[in-house]
Amino acid sequence: MAHPLPILIVGAGQAGATAAASLRALGHDGPIVMVGNEPGAPYERPPLSKAVLLDAAAQERLAIHPAGFHEDKGIELRTGITVTSLDTANAVAHCSDGQSIAYRQVLIATGGSARVLPDAAPGTPRVHYIRTLADAQGLRAALQGATAITVLGAGFLGLEVASTARTLGLDVTVVEPAPRVLARAVPDLFSRWLQERAVRAGVALRLGTPCSAVRPHADHIALTFGDGSEHRTQLLLVAIGQAPEVALAAASGIALHPVNGGIRVDAQCRTSAAGVFAAGDCTSAHQALLGDELRLESWQNANEQGRIAAAAILGVPAEPAATPWFWTDQFGCNVQMVGLPAAGLRYDCRGDMSADGDAPRFVLIGSDAQARVRRVIAVNAGADLRPLRSLVEQGTPCDASRLVDPSVSLRQAVRDALAAAAPALH
């Protein structure tokens, strides 16, 4: 008999949508209620900084599931409302529309929110953030009437918007307090390559430049830097990172990580509260590749944790989370990464790291002191990433010089490395 109370999913983003679909795929036939604070059905966020800014029609292709999916699967979708509190002792959620939802189990998939500058809050004229479809629509409209934009933050989101804005013909300046782009995510040699690629595309980079003040004016935004200099721009995109949306969990007494602030979950996405699970950008989980706990803000992680949480809710086994994978499209290049950034890795290059050309193609292979491949970064080389993934997953010691030797087939080099390591693994 189906349980009379619903499984409640708080958050209608990637993780929540994946969890709801997975519950049905695993055979759950009881009620499912998904509550989301945005007005529409769950949608993909990665295109917001790229395709949606270029073409309004792209937003029609964002839906995670096809039209009618939730009705067909019997998933009750309540949009435009927020779960304001959880009574975990009595398994009741209270919502912003005044209703309460008694639940069987609950999944918190609240994602994250853009970090905000105090003197340039959302709604400030000429200042933009990107987290939601509405944010992207607002920025797209502003870009159509502008000639210049400054991006504060040289992370993935900021660089993607900078690339898109150049495609639209705007003058683009990127301001970053760190000495290089993507400083926390990629090795120095890749940062230098990408910086040259961005400059060749017409982006002005101001690296190692902390911004001390933002002052909006009627016809421009004025940025003041730590050295006292000033920069004026028509538009400002603030892309200084994302904060996990954990207020609901914190108010409910659910354990958070003391440093990264995410909701602490185990390998099955269980939180410290009985019957409460969490998935996606709001979580903090142990990562075997690093031997540490961290938050992963990625499309893949949201999908993986949504799938695993659904299985755990139903008490059925699930495959462990896949090796972390991330991608970005910017400055004419598709960049894919397997593994996680770690200190002390040595990177070897297969291919040509020239920053010019329409479609440069190369792979960076990061190995640790034991010659185990721990990270791979592929530029316009997704096919090369696939065989290398197995080396990362298995922590296989190998000869990196053979992997990057252009006279040796990459697939053959990987097969040889796996075969050589096999006796040691048995």
Side-chain angles (χ1 to χ4, degrees), residues 43-54 58 61-62 136 160 327:
Y43 61 87
E44 305 270 4
R45 295 189 191 275
L48 297 183
S49 57
K50 302 177 281 289
V52 173
L53 295 184
L54 290 171
R61 302 185 292 272
L62 295 181
E160 287 172 356
W327 92 94

Side-chain angles (χ1 to χ4, degrees), residues 88-89 103 106 108 249 252-255 264 269-277:
T88 58
Y103 58 83
V106 61
I108 300 175
S252 304
I254 295 170
R264 303 190 84 165
C269 294
R270 294 179 293 228
T271 73
S272 62
V276 181
F277 300 77

